[in-house]
Amino acid sequence: MNITEKQLKEVAKAGGMKKANELDFKISDGFYELGVYDDDLEWQPTLTVKILKGNCSDDVIFNTDFDNFDEFAARKMLDTLGLVEME
């Protein structure tokens, strides 16, 4: 399963990140990330998402430095986009 840049930005916006469209997209070792490259061209992720597929439902791991990120709303958007199954 792959998440597109557009889909991840929709998930980020659902979680409350209003400036998600300004972030760059990167896939690394099964993690989907939005972030920026700093002045030294080092990747600085703002949001990292990992999806673990299960038999009955899927588990989603969010890692973000964004204060007040709404993981439930973001997970609901993943479900709406057909990327995960919620219980």
Side-chain angles (χ1 to χ4, degrees):
M1 183 226 8
N2 286 319
I3 299 175
T4 66
E5 179 176 359
K6 182 179 178 182
Q7 289 170 323
L8 188 56
K9 288 182 178 183
E10 288 300 315
V11 170
K13 287 188 275 186
M17 299 176 82
K18 292 181 173 48
K19 295 187 178 187
N21 286 334
E22 298 174 16
L23 300 173
D24 293 315
F25 175 72
K26 182 177 177 182
I27 300 173
S28 176
D29 298 323
F31 292 88
Y32 300 92
E33 298 180 324
L34 292 177
V36 295
Y37 287 96
D38 65 16
D39 293 337
D40 296 325
L41 299 179
E42 294 288 324
W43 178 249
Q44 301 297 322
T46 301
L47 173 66
T48 302
V49 177
K50 172 103 177 156
I51 298 175
L52 305 168
K53 291 299 217 176
N55 290 335
C56 298
S57 67
D58 302 320
D59 193 21
V60 181
I61 300 168
F62 292 101
N63 187 10
T64 183
D65 59 2
F66 184 75
D67 293 335
N68 302 318
F69 185 75
D70 187 342
E71 289 187 15
F72 180 78
R75 185 167 165 64
K76 191 171 180 182
M77 178 58 72
L78 284 167
D79 182 55
T80 299
L81 293 170
L83 300 169
V84 299
E85 290 184 28
M86 292 181 74
E87 292 184 78

